[in-house]
Amino acid sequence: MTDRPGAPSPPKPLTGPQKALRKLGLERAIDLALHLPLRYEDETRIVRLSDVFEGEVAQIEGVVTHCEIKLSGHRQLLVTLDDGSDTCLLRFFTFYPSTQKALAVGNRIRARGEIKGGFAGLTMMHPAFHPAGGELAVALTPVYPTAAGLPQAYLRRAVQGGLARAELSDTVPPDHLYEIGLQPLWSLREALLFLHNPTPSVALATLQDHSHPAWQRLKAEELLAQQLSQLQAKRERARLRAPVLVLGTLHARLLAALPFQLTSAQRRVSVEIAHDLARPVPMHRLLQGDVGSGKTVVAALAATICMDAGWQCALMAPTEILATQHFAKLVSWLEPLGIKTAWLTGSQKTKERREMLALIASGEAGLVIGTHAVIQDKVVFKNLALAIIDEQHRFGVAQRLALRSKLTEGMQEPHLLMMTATPIPRTLAMSYYADLDVSTLDELPPGRTPIITKLVNDARRDEVIARIRAQFDLGRQVYWVCPLIEESEALDLRNATETHAQLSAALPGVMVGLLHSRMPVAEKKAVMSLFTRGQMGLLVSTTVIEVGVDVPNASLMVIEHAERFGLSQLHQLRGRVGRGAAASACVLLYATGDAPRLGETARARLKAMVETADGFEIARRDLEIRGPGEFLGARQSGAALLRFADLVLDAALLAWARRLAPVMLDQHPALAEKHVQRWLGGKAEFLKA
Ligand code: ADP
Ligand code: MG
């Protein structure tokens, strides 16, 4: 290659830390400025050893009185530091000759680390150290969230650089800062400068728990960005066009063919959906309903409206098992009414797949059911008008965007119906899904006997096995759920394979199947079909059956090591039984290991499971136990973008942001846009999915 004069020089390759910065999303100066410390270290003073307390991160200074390499056991360097008030043992497990030299007896050293007490007296493991003397820091030292390959010191310099370069003029109209009692004194610039370099006099606790006015300002800003972007998305969506799908006769024909009457909740949400579909604007609706509340038939009814109007409908499920079940059920309902259904999954044979793609492209297939395979580029719809996503929290934002990008004729967008069995408490849904319409199935189909839930110590396993036997004698089927498929040293969990062998031996004459996520798809399907058809009495499985599986004859579920599961997950699992008319039970087997009793949180979770079967109540308690960050994080991969604010603890700030967002969009559109760009940058598009 020759260098042409005047051609732009090729971009310099990124260094390791630069790459790491990019990976953390810290590209723009403002991204760096908004990368706030996790905590602070106090290097502004030296603490006397007689004054330190255990667990404190302290900076100490003293003379080395002893330095040796201990060779027995773990090789380590042991150094004793004496500051005149007491001594402290410094331990190093990795060290070099230079470390030893720097810590030679007689040297004066300044060391910083966490103080541990105990048998050997005060101790620090791997403290940072350097020769004594030198200036003390004037500000608290921020410690930033970081990643591998990105040293704190590098990140600190990058953040300070970003802070200096970033444009930080205020975007919140000043009048509105008084509304929430924020001192207008704290402009964004001041708040950021302070949080990155707080003066030592500030009460560390108010920084740590984010109650400090500077933090309040940042949290308010963040919530405002979230509310603004959601409102923008909602307004943009209202400008998009979608096919108008008017109710035809197919809907009524399906209703007439169903073996049951809709519940009034199902009727109500069906009306809400039909109303949306008849509008020329894309529907963006979340259908939430507890496990077993009958979301599938609501989806099928929506599909009939779409197909009757001459358009195609796609239904996407997160797992192949679930997609198979939907397929079987919908085909049994719709095929007799003359609907052709296509089927798409990743494990499909090329020939079959090609046939399906042809059916979809020609429009011959009115309904397309499948896994992620439905959104692949190769899948071309003739005229997709409605996309239904089951268990939407299992899908990423990118996948939802991909579905929406399957534009129909005339650049119209398909309507979107998302379904979830993990309801979100109403208050949270309102703020979190500000740009979604929510329909709720708050009623279970009639004729279900409630599930009785029992806590049983693992020591009484034999009794549980006897109980399983009794279910078989009644012609019923049983699930046994295990948390892990392999022996893990850290967690002494019985693995599913071993449990399967054990239960097979204990229950002679019964077909006992095994299902786990690492099995080939064909094998999974075969096992599932034996169980669905009632030939298999007991299904031992990992959590792959968590969502959607529907076998009404299963009346007992045993969950092993229930203490290791989250509350919502337990609820989802339990929802697999109690689907028929038979009295059903769920046994939560727990093990306490060496401990005399269960830990606090585990007990709270299991207790909630015994006390209530209501998904909303469970969600409320789960939120209480775990806090919204984790609660929502597990559900909404891409959109869980709140880093600082807490939707529950900062409810007052959230209310403020909700009020201000429409005012800003209407009266200060330029400021609103600047605010969203500043906070969300490239992520704003993502939030609209
Ligand atoms: P989920 O909301 O968990 O997806 P499903 O749609 O799988 O629930 O429905 C659970 C079971 O209840 C299915 O067997 C379904 O056929 C049945 N079902 C749904 N609606 C009714 C109803 N109105 N009356 C009786 N059974 C119903
Ligand atoms: Mg379902």
PDB file of all heavy atoms in Angstrom, residues 259-263 266 289-297 326 329 333 390-391 419 421 441 445-446 448 548-550 552 575-576 579, ligand 1:
ATOM      1  N   PRO A 259     -63.894 -24.840  23.742  1.00  0.00           N
ATOM      2  CA  PRO A 259     -64.575 -25.728  24.684  1.00  0.00           C
ATOM      3  C   PRO A 259     -64.949 -25.011  25.992  1.00  0.00           C
ATOM      4  O   PRO A 259     -65.391 -25.667  26.930  1.00  0.00           O
ATOM      5  CB  PRO A 259     -63.541 -26.830  24.937  1.00  0.00           C
ATOM      6  CG  PRO A 259     -62.225 -26.189  24.678  1.00  0.00           C
ATOM      7  CD  PRO A 259     -62.461 -25.137  23.628  1.00  0.00           C
ATOM      8  N   PHE A 260     -64.706 -23.727  26.072  1.00  0.00           N
ATOM      9  CA  PHE A 260     -65.046 -23.003  27.309  1.00  0.00           C
ATOM     10  C   PHE A 260     -65.540 -21.602  26.988  1.00  0.00           C
ATOM     11  O   PHE A 260     -65.428 -21.130  25.856  1.00  0.00           O
ATOM     12  CB  PHE A 260     -63.847 -22.933  28.254  1.00  0.00           C
ATOM     13  CG  PHE A 260     -62.570 -22.468  27.588  1.00  0.00           C
ATOM     14  CD1 PHE A 260     -62.389 -21.142  27.238  1.00  0.00           C
ATOM     15  CD2 PHE A 260     -61.549 -23.383  27.290  1.00  0.00           C
ATOM     16  CE1 PHE A 260     -61.231 -20.711  26.631  1.00  0.00           C
ATOM     17  CE2 PHE A 260     -60.379 -22.964  26.664  1.00  0.00           C
ATOM     18  CZ  PHE A 260     -60.218 -21.634  26.337  1.00  0.00           C
ATOM     19  N   GLN A 261     -66.115 -20.960  28.014  1.00  0.00           N
ATOM     20  CA  GLN A 261     -66.533 -19.554  27.907  1.00  0.00           C
ATOM     21  C   GLN A 261     -65.374 -18.683  28.363  1.00  0.00           C
ATOM     22  O   GLN A 261     -64.677 -19.044  29.298  1.00  0.00           O
ATOM     23  CB  GLN A 261     -67.689 -19.299  28.881  1.00  0.00           C
ATOM     24  CG  GLN A 261     -68.931 -20.100  28.607  1.00  0.00           C
ATOM     25  CD  GLN A 261     -69.905 -19.284  27.798  1.00  0.00           C
ATOM     26  OE1 GLN A 261     -70.260 -18.177  28.174  1.00  0.00           O
ATOM     27  NE2 GLN A 261     -70.299 -19.826  26.661  1.00  0.00           N
ATOM     28  N   LEU A 262     -65.213 -17.522  27.758  1.00  0.00           N
ATOM     29  CA  LEU A 262     -64.168 -16.617  28.232  1.00  0.00           C
ATOM     30  C   LEU A 262     -64.509 -16.124  29.635  1.00  0.00           C
ATOM     31  O   LEU A 262     -65.681 -15.972  29.976  1.00  0.00           O
ATOM     32  CB  LEU A 262     -64.049 -15.408  27.309  1.00  0.00           C
ATOM     33  CG  LEU A 262     -63.545 -15.617  25.888  1.00  0.00           C
ATOM     34  CD1 LEU A 262     -63.293 -14.262  25.233  1.00  0.00           C
ATOM     35  CD2 LEU A 262     -62.282 -16.453  25.856  1.00  0.00           C
ATOM     36  N   THR A 263     -63.484 -15.854  30.416  1.00  0.00           N
ATOM     37  CA  THR A 263     -63.728 -15.181  31.695  1.00  0.00           C
ATOM     38  C   THR A 263     -64.046 -13.722  31.378  1.00  0.00           C
ATOM     39  O   THR A 263     -63.765 -13.248  30.271  1.00  0.00           O
ATOM     40  CB  THR A 263     -62.487 -15.213  32.592  1.00  0.00           C
ATOM     41  OG1 THR A 263     -61.440 -14.499  31.926  1.00  0.00           O
ATOM     42  CG2 THR A 263     -62.025 -16.631  32.866  1.00  0.00           C
ATOM     43  N   GLN A 266     -60.935 -11.953  30.399  1.00  0.00           N
ATOM     44  CA  GLN A 266     -60.512 -12.235  29.021  1.00  0.00           C
ATOM     45  C   GLN A 266     -61.346 -11.429  28.026  1.00  0.00           C
ATOM     46  O   GLN A 266     -60.830 -10.914  27.032  1.00  0.00           O
ATOM     47  CB  GLN A 266     -60.647 -13.735  28.709  1.00  0.00           C
ATOM     48  CG  GLN A 266     -59.520 -14.570  29.306  1.00  0.00           C
ATOM     49  CD  GLN A 266     -59.799 -16.061  29.200  1.00  0.00           C
ATOM     50  OE1 GLN A 266     -60.940 -16.508  29.326  1.00  0.00           O
ATOM     51  NE2 GLN A 266     -58.764 -16.849  28.991  1.00  0.00           N
ATOM     52  N   GLY A 289     -50.864 -11.188  32.866  1.00  0.00           N
ATOM     53  CA  GLY A 289     -51.817 -12.038  33.544  1.00  0.00           C
ATOM     54  C   GLY A 289     -51.052 -13.159  34.196  1.00  0.00           C
ATOM     55  O   GLY A 289     -50.083 -13.670  33.646  1.00  0.00           O
ATOM     56  N   ASP A 290     -51.512 -13.512  35.354  1.00  0.00           N
ATOM     57  CA  ASP A 290     -50.862 -14.539  36.128  1.00  0.00           C
ATOM     58  C   ASP A 290     -50.747 -15.837  35.325  1.00  0.00           C
ATOM     59  O   ASP A 290     -51.475 -16.033  34.360  1.00  0.00           O
ATOM     60  CB  ASP A 290     -51.720 -14.792  37.380  1.00  0.00           C
ATOM     61  CG  ASP A 290     -50.851 -15.206  38.546  1.00  0.00           C
ATOM     62  OD1 ASP A 290     -49.705 -15.608  38.312  1.00  0.00           O
ATOM     63  OD2 ASP A 290     -51.334 -15.118  39.688  1.00  0.00           O
ATOM     64  N   VAL A 291     -49.854 -16.704  35.754  1.00  0.00           N
ATOM     65  CA  VAL A 291     -49.756 -18.010  35.110  1.00  0.00           C
ATOM     66  C   VAL A 291     -51.119 -18.684  35.139  1.00  0.00           C
ATOM     67  O   VAL A 291     -51.792 -18.677  36.166  1.00  0.00           O
ATOM     68  CB  VAL A 291     -48.751 -18.935  35.841  1.00  0.00           C
ATOM     69  CG1 VAL A 291     -47.452 -18.970  35.114  1.00  0.00           C
ATOM     70  CG2 VAL A 291     -48.568 -18.509  37.273  1.00  0.00           C
ATOM     71  N   GLY A 292     -51.538 -19.217  34.015  1.00  0.00           N
ATOM     72  CA  GLY A 292     -52.796 -19.944  33.956  1.00  0.00           C
ATOM     73  C   GLY A 292     -54.013 -19.057  33.769  1.00  0.00           C
ATOM     74  O   GLY A 292     -55.141 -19.529  33.769  1.00  0.00           O
ATOM     75  N   SER A 293     -53.820 -17.757  33.593  1.00  0.00           N
ATOM     76  CA  SER A 293     -54.969 -16.862  33.476  1.00  0.00           C
ATOM     77  C   SER A 293     -55.578 -16.924  32.073  1.00  0.00           C
ATOM     78  O   SER A 293     -56.612 -16.316  31.822  1.00  0.00           O
ATOM     79  CB  SER A 293     -54.584 -15.428  33.835  1.00  0.00           C
ATOM     80  OG  SER A 293     -53.553 -14.983  32.996  1.00  0.00           O
ATOM     81  N   GLY A 294     -54.922 -17.634  31.153  1.00  0.00           N
ATOM     82  CA  GLY A 294     -55.511 -17.826  29.832  1.00  0.00           C
ATOM     83  C   GLY A 294     -55.143 -16.746  28.833  1.00  0.00           C
ATOM     84  O   GLY A 294     -56.001 -16.221  28.119  1.00  0.00           O
ATOM     85  N   LYS A 295     -53.848 -16.453  28.723  1.00  0.00           N
ATOM     86  CA  LYS A 295     -53.416 -15.438  27.773  1.00  0.00           C
ATOM     87  C   LYS A 295     -53.426 -15.973  26.341  1.00  0.00           C
ATOM     88  O   LYS A 295     -53.645 -15.222  25.394  1.00  0.00           O
ATOM     89  CB  LYS A 295     -52.001 -14.953  28.138  1.00  0.00           C
ATOM     90  CG  LYS A 295     -51.961 -14.206  29.473  1.00  0.00           C
ATOM     91  CD  LYS A 295     -50.594 -13.646  29.780  1.00  0.00           C
ATOM     92  CE  LYS A 295     -49.584 -14.710  30.131  1.00  0.00           C
ATOM     93  NZ  LYS A 295     -49.900 -15.449  31.369  1.00  0.00           N
ATOM     94  N   THR A 296     -53.203 -17.295  26.211  1.00  0.00           N
ATOM     95  CA  THR A 296     -53.075 -17.859  24.867  1.00  0.00           C
ATOM     96  C   THR A 296     -54.338 -17.634  24.040  1.00  0.00           C
ATOM     97  O   THR A 296     -54.258 -17.257  22.870  1.00  0.00           O
ATOM     98  CB  THR A 296     -52.777 -19.363  24.942  1.00  0.00           C
ATOM     99  OG1 THR A 296     -51.781 -19.570  25.947  1.00  0.00           O
ATOM    100  CG2 THR A 296     -52.271 -19.887  23.625  1.00  0.00           C
ATOM    101  N   VAL A 297     -55.482 -17.843  24.647  1.00  0.00           N
ATOM    102  CA  VAL A 297     -56.714 -17.702  23.873  1.00  0.00           C
ATOM    103  C   VAL A 297     -56.952 -16.233  23.502  1.00  0.00           C
ATOM    104  O   VAL A 297     -57.456 -15.926  22.416  1.00  0.00           O
ATOM    105  CB  VAL A 297     -57.920 -18.327  24.617  1.00  0.00           C
ATOM    106  CG1 VAL A 297     -58.308 -17.534  25.835  1.00  0.00           C
ATOM    107  CG2 VAL A 297     -59.104 -18.468  23.680  1.00  0.00           C
ATOM    108  N   HIS A 326     -47.735 -23.779  21.859  1.00  0.00           N
ATOM    109  CA  HIS A 326     -48.607 -22.788  21.230  1.00  0.00           C
ATOM    110  C   HIS A 326     -49.072 -23.296  19.885  1.00  0.00           C
ATOM    111  O   HIS A 326     -50.228 -23.171  19.517  1.00  0.00           O
ATOM    112  CB  HIS A 326     -47.864 -21.474  21.014  1.00  0.00           C
ATOM    113  CG  HIS A 326     -47.749 -20.661  22.259  1.00  0.00           C
ATOM    114  ND1 HIS A 326     -48.725 -20.616  23.197  1.00  0.00           N
ATOM    115  CD2 HIS A 326     -46.759 -19.855  22.713  1.00  0.00           C
ATOM    116  CE1 HIS A 326     -48.347 -19.822  24.173  1.00  0.00           C
ATOM    117  NE2 HIS A 326     -47.161 -19.350  23.905  1.00  0.00           N
ATOM    118  N   LYS A 329     -51.707 -25.988  20.211  1.00  0.00           N
ATOM    119  CA  LYS A 329     -52.987 -25.467  20.672  1.00  0.00           C
ATOM    120  C   LYS A 329     -53.673 -24.618  19.605  1.00  0.00           C
ATOM    121  O   LYS A 329     -54.846 -24.806  19.300  1.00  0.00           O
ATOM    122  CB  LYS A 329     -52.767 -24.644  21.947  1.00  0.00           C
ATOM    123  CG  LYS A 329     -54.042 -24.208  22.601  1.00  0.00           C
ATOM    124  CD  LYS A 329     -53.889 -24.089  24.108  1.00  0.00           C
ATOM    125  CE  LYS A 329     -54.629 -25.193  24.832  1.00  0.00           C
ATOM    126  NZ  LYS A 329     -54.388 -25.235  26.268  1.00  0.00           N
ATOM    127  N   TRP A 333     -57.176 -25.183  17.391  1.00  0.00           N
ATOM    128  CA  TRP A 333     -58.297 -24.239  17.402  1.00  0.00           C
ATOM    129  C   TRP A 333     -58.605 -23.692  16.017  1.00  0.00           C
ATOM    130  O   TRP A 333     -59.749 -23.519  15.632  1.00  0.00           O
ATOM    131  CB  TRP A 333     -57.999 -23.052  18.333  1.00  0.00           C
ATOM    132  CG  TRP A 333     -58.125 -23.344  19.796  1.00  0.00           C
ATOM    133  CD1 TRP A 333     -58.860 -24.345  20.376  1.00  0.00           C
ATOM    134  CD2 TRP A 333     -57.515 -22.623  20.872  1.00  0.00           C
ATOM    135  NE1 TRP A 333     -58.720 -24.296  21.737  1.00  0.00           N
ATOM    136  CE2 TRP A 333     -57.914 -23.243  22.080  1.00  0.00           C
ATOM    137  CE3 TRP A 333     -56.665 -21.510  20.936  1.00  0.00           C
ATOM    138  CZ2 TRP A 333     -57.505 -22.800  23.333  1.00  0.00           C
ATOM    139  CZ3 TRP A 333     -56.254 -21.064  22.183  1.00  0.00           C
ATOM    140  CH2 TRP A 333     -56.670 -21.704  23.372  1.00  0.00           C
ATOM    141  N   ASP A 390     -44.752 -13.740  23.324  1.00  0.00           N
ATOM    142  CA  ASP A 390     -45.096 -14.351  24.602  1.00  0.00           C
ATOM    143  C   ASP A 390     -43.891 -14.278  25.531  1.00  0.00           C
ATOM    144  O   ASP A 390     -42.753 -14.383  25.093  1.00  0.00           O
ATOM    145  CB  ASP A 390     -45.507 -15.814  24.390  1.00  0.00           C
ATOM    146  CG  ASP A 390     -46.251 -16.361  25.603  1.00  0.00           C
ATOM    147  OD1 ASP A 390     -46.683 -15.549  26.457  1.00  0.00           O
ATOM    148  OD2 ASP A 390     -46.411 -17.584  25.701  1.00  0.00           O
ATOM    149  N   GLU A 391     -44.143 -14.124  26.809  1.00  0.00           N
ATOM    150  CA  GLU A 391     -43.084 -14.017  27.807  1.00  0.00           C
ATOM    151  C   GLU A 391     -42.059 -12.982  27.354  1.00  0.00           C
ATOM    152  O   GLU A 391     -40.877 -13.252  27.232  1.00  0.00           O
ATOM    153  CB  GLU A 391     -42.403 -15.373  28.038  1.00  0.00           C
ATOM    154  CG  GLU A 391     -43.346 -16.491  28.435  1.00  0.00           C
ATOM    155  CD  GLU A 391     -44.094 -16.192  29.725  1.00  0.00           C
ATOM    156  OE1 GLU A 391     -43.624 -15.334  30.499  1.00  0.00           O
ATOM    157  OE2 GLU A 391     -45.147 -16.804  29.956  1.00  0.00           O
ATOM    158  N   MET A 419     -46.854 -10.297  25.875  1.00  0.00           N
ATOM    159  CA  MET A 419     -47.542 -10.966  26.973  1.00  0.00           C
ATOM    160  C   MET A 419     -46.534 -11.338  28.059  1.00  0.00           C
ATOM    161  O   MET A 419     -45.405 -11.719  27.771  1.00  0.00           O
ATOM    162  CB  MET A 419     -48.226 -12.223  26.461  1.00  0.00           C
ATOM    163  CG  MET A 419     -49.113 -11.957  25.255  1.00  0.00           C
ATOM    164  SD  MET A 419     -50.351 -13.232  24.996  1.00  0.00           S
ATOM    165  CE  MET A 419     -49.366 -14.558  24.336  1.00  0.00           C
ATOM    166  N   ALA A 421     -46.245 -13.230  32.137  1.00  0.00           N
ATOM    167  CA  ALA A 421     -46.868 -13.857  33.298  1.00  0.00           C
ATOM    168  C   ALA A 421     -46.204 -13.367  34.567  1.00  0.00           C
ATOM    169  O   ALA A 421     -46.490 -13.849  35.644  1.00  0.00           O
ATOM    170  CB  ALA A 421     -46.757 -15.370  33.193  1.00  0.00           C
ATOM    171  N   LEU A 441     -55.131  -9.389  32.982  1.00  0.00           N
ATOM    172  CA  LEU A 441     -56.055 -10.481  33.277  1.00  0.00           C
ATOM    173  C   LEU A 441     -55.980 -10.719  34.777  1.00  0.00           C
ATOM    174  O   LEU A 441     -55.007 -11.274  35.263  1.00  0.00           O
ATOM    175  CB  LEU A 441     -55.656 -11.753  32.529  1.00  0.00           C
ATOM    176  CG  LEU A 441     -55.915 -11.820  31.031  1.00  0.00           C
ATOM    177  CD1 LEU A 441     -55.354 -13.102  30.442  1.00  0.00           C
ATOM    178  CD2 LEU A 441     -57.402 -11.722  30.752  1.00  0.00           C
ATOM    179  N   PRO A 445     -59.498 -18.633  35.046  1.00  0.00           N
ATOM    180  CA  PRO A 445     -60.665 -19.372  34.566  1.00  0.00           C
ATOM    181  C   PRO A 445     -61.284 -20.170  35.713  1.00  0.00           C
ATOM    182  O   PRO A 445     -60.567 -20.571  36.633  1.00  0.00           O
ATOM    183  CB  PRO A 445     -60.082 -20.317  33.513  1.00  0.00           C
ATOM    184  CG  PRO A 445     -58.836 -19.673  33.055  1.00  0.00           C
ATOM    185  CD  PRO A 445     -58.304 -18.931  34.238  1.00  0.00           C
ATOM    186  N   PRO A 446     -62.601 -20.379  35.664  1.00  0.00           N
ATOM    187  CA  PRO A 446     -63.271 -21.039  36.781  1.00  0.00           C
ATOM    188  C   PRO A 446     -62.918 -22.524  36.860  1.00  0.00           C
ATOM    189  O   PRO A 446     -62.304 -23.072  35.948  1.00  0.00           O
ATOM    190  CB  PRO A 446     -64.752 -20.880  36.435  1.00  0.00           C
ATOM    191  CG  PRO A 446     -64.776 -20.728  34.948  1.00  0.00           C
ATOM    192  CD  PRO A 446     -63.511 -20.035  34.576  1.00  0.00           C
ATOM    193  N   ARG A 448     -60.901 -24.055  38.836  1.00  0.00           N
ATOM    194  CA  ARG A 448     -59.574 -24.450  39.299  1.00  0.00           C
ATOM    195  C   ARG A 448     -59.607 -24.585  40.802  1.00  0.00           C
ATOM    196  O   ARG A 448     -60.119 -23.720  41.499  1.00  0.00           O
ATOM    197  CB  ARG A 448     -58.548 -23.379  38.943  1.00  0.00           C
ATOM    198  CG  ARG A 448     -58.491 -23.074  37.488  1.00  0.00           C
ATOM    199  CD  ARG A 448     -57.207 -23.596  36.876  1.00  0.00           C
ATOM    200  NE  ARG A 448     -57.309 -23.518  35.420  1.00  0.00           N
ATOM    201  CZ  ARG A 448     -56.814 -22.516  34.718  1.00  0.00           C
ATOM    202  NH1 ARG A 448     -56.187 -21.544  35.329  1.00  0.00           N
ATOM    203  NH2 ARG A 448     -56.941 -22.498  33.424  1.00  0.00           N
ATOM    204  N   GLY A 548     -44.800 -21.322  30.602  1.00  0.00           N
ATOM    205  CA  GLY A 548     -45.756 -21.708  29.582  1.00  0.00           C
ATOM    206  C   GLY A 548     -46.207 -23.142  29.431  1.00  0.00           C
ATOM    207  O   GLY A 548     -47.217 -23.388  28.812  1.00  0.00           O
ATOM    208  N   VAL A 549     -45.467 -24.094  29.970  1.00  0.00           N
ATOM    209  CA  VAL A 549     -45.858 -25.476  29.735  1.00  0.00           C
ATOM    210  C   VAL A 549     -47.237 -25.741  30.332  1.00  0.00           C
ATOM    211  O   VAL A 549     -47.539 -25.326  31.443  1.00  0.00           O
ATOM    212  CB  VAL A 549     -44.819 -26.439  30.338  1.00  0.00           C
ATOM    213  CG1 VAL A 549     -45.287 -27.869  30.213  1.00  0.00           C
ATOM    214  CG2 VAL A 549     -43.487 -26.256  29.640  1.00  0.00           C
ATOM    215  N   ASP A 550     -48.080 -26.440  29.564  1.00  0.00           N
ATOM    216  CA  ASP A 550     -49.468 -26.597  29.969  1.00  0.00           C
ATOM    217  C   ASP A 550     -49.888 -28.070  29.913  1.00  0.00           C
ATOM    218  O   ASP A 550     -50.213 -28.588  28.862  1.00  0.00           O
ATOM    219  CB  ASP A 550     -50.343 -25.742  29.032  1.00  0.00           C
ATOM    220  CG  ASP A 550     -51.797 -25.745  29.469  1.00  0.00           C
ATOM    221  OD1 ASP A 550     -52.063 -25.945  30.672  1.00  0.00           O
ATOM    222  OD2 ASP A 550     -52.663 -25.544  28.601  1.00  0.00           O
ATOM    223  N   PRO A 552     -52.578 -30.118  31.966  1.00  0.00           N
ATOM    224  CA  PRO A 552     -53.595 -30.015  33.030  1.00  0.00           C
ATOM    225  C   PRO A 552     -53.637 -31.217  33.974  1.00  0.00           C
ATOM    226  O   PRO A 552     -54.056 -31.083  35.119  1.00  0.00           O
ATOM    227  CB  PRO A 552     -54.910 -29.899  32.252  1.00  0.00           C
ATOM    228  CG  PRO A 552     -54.528 -29.429  30.895  1.00  0.00           C
ATOM    229  CD  PRO A 552     -53.167 -29.956  30.630  1.00  0.00           C
ATOM    230  N   GLY A 575     -47.023 -22.415  38.837  1.00  0.00           N
ATOM    231  CA  GLY A 575     -48.127 -22.239  37.902  1.00  0.00           C
ATOM    232  C   GLY A 575     -48.277 -23.374  36.898  1.00  0.00           C
ATOM    233  O   GLY A 575     -49.259 -23.444  36.179  1.00  0.00           O
ATOM    234  N   ARG A 576     -47.304 -24.283  36.856  1.00  0.00           N
ATOM    235  CA  ARG A 576     -47.414 -25.434  35.951  1.00  0.00           C
ATOM    236  C   ARG A 576     -48.441 -26.434  36.462  1.00  0.00           C
ATOM    237  O   ARG A 576     -48.913 -27.275  35.719  1.00  0.00           O
ATOM    238  CB  ARG A 576     -46.078 -26.178  35.792  1.00  0.00           C
ATOM    239  CG  ARG A 576     -44.919 -25.381  35.263  1.00  0.00           C
ATOM    240  CD  ARG A 576     -45.235 -24.710  33.984  1.00  0.00           C
ATOM    241  NE  ARG A 576     -45.255 -23.261  34.180  1.00  0.00           N
ATOM    242  CZ  ARG A 576     -46.074 -22.448  33.575  1.00  0.00           C
ATOM    243  NH1 ARG A 576     -46.956 -22.904  32.741  1.00  0.00           N
ATOM    244  NH2 ARG A 576     -46.017 -21.166  33.802  1.00  0.00           N
ATOM    245  N   ARG A 579     -53.719 -26.662  36.829  1.00  0.00           N
ATOM    246  CA  ARG A 579     -54.290 -26.224  35.553  1.00  0.00           C
ATOM    247  C   ARG A 579     -55.521 -27.041  35.181  1.00  0.00           C
ATOM    248  O   ARG A 579     -56.211 -26.722  34.237  1.00  0.00           O
ATOM    249  CB  ARG A 579     -53.248 -26.329  34.452  1.00  0.00           C
ATOM    250  CG  ARG A 579     -52.025 -25.518  34.783  1.00  0.00           C
ATOM    251  CD  ARG A 579     -51.181 -25.270  33.569  1.00  0.00           C
ATOM    252  NE  ARG A 579     -50.654 -23.921  33.691  1.00  0.00           N
ATOM    253  CZ  ARG A 579     -50.538 -23.064  32.704  1.00  0.00           C
ATOM    254  NH1 ARG A 579     -50.934 -23.397  31.495  1.00  0.00           N
ATOM    255  NH2 ARG A 579     -50.058 -21.855  32.896  1.00  0.00           N
TER     256      ARG A 579
HETATM  257  P1  ADP B   1     -51.263 -18.521  30.504  1.00  0.00           P
HETATM  258  O1  ADP B   1     -51.930 -17.222  30.779  1.00  0.00           O
HETATM  259  O2  ADP B   1     -50.418 -18.972  31.643  1.00  0.00           O
HETATM  260  O3  ADP B   1     -50.535 -18.527  29.183  1.00  0.00           O
HETATM  261  P2  ADP B   1     -52.883 -20.462  29.172  1.00  0.00           P
HETATM  262  O4  ADP B   1     -53.302 -19.600  28.065  1.00  0.00           O
HETATM  263  O5  ADP B   1     -51.865 -21.495  28.904  1.00  0.00           O
HETATM  264  O6  ADP B   1     -52.448 -19.580  30.417  1.00  0.00           O
HETATM  265  O7  ADP B   1     -54.212 -21.109  29.780  1.00  0.00           O
HETATM  266  C1  ADP B   1     -54.148 -22.045  30.815  1.00  0.00           C
HETATM  267  C2  ADP B   1     -55.195 -23.113  30.620  1.00  0.00           C
HETATM  268  O8  ADP B   1     -56.502 -22.602  30.836  1.00  0.00           O
HETATM  269  C3  ADP B   1     -55.206 -23.688  29.223  1.00  0.00           C
HETATM  270  O9  ADP B   1     -55.402 -25.069  29.310  1.00  0.00           O
HETATM  271  C4  ADP B   1     -56.392 -22.988  28.576  1.00  0.00           C
HETATM  272  O10 ADP B   1     -56.933 -23.743  27.522  1.00  0.00           O
HETATM  273  C5  ADP B   1     -57.357 -22.870  29.729  1.00  0.00           C
HETATM  274  N1  ADP B   1     -58.295 -21.757  29.639  1.00  0.00           N
HETATM  275  C6  ADP B   1     -58.055 -20.532  29.144  1.00  0.00           C
HETATM  276  N2  ADP B   1     -59.132 -19.742  29.257  1.00  0.00           N
HETATM  277  C7  ADP B   1     -60.099 -20.492  29.834  1.00  0.00           C
HETATM  278  C8  ADP B   1     -61.462 -20.241  30.212  1.00  0.00           C
HETATM  279  N3  ADP B   1     -62.020 -19.051  30.032  1.00  0.00           N
HETATM  280  N4  ADP B   1     -62.124 -21.242  30.796  1.00  0.00           N
HETATM  281  C9  ADP B   1     -61.555 -22.438  30.990  1.00  0.00           C
HETATM  282  N5  ADP B   1     -60.293 -22.741  30.654  1.00  0.00           N
HETATM  283  C10 ADP B   1     -59.564 -21.782  30.086  1.00  0.00           C
END
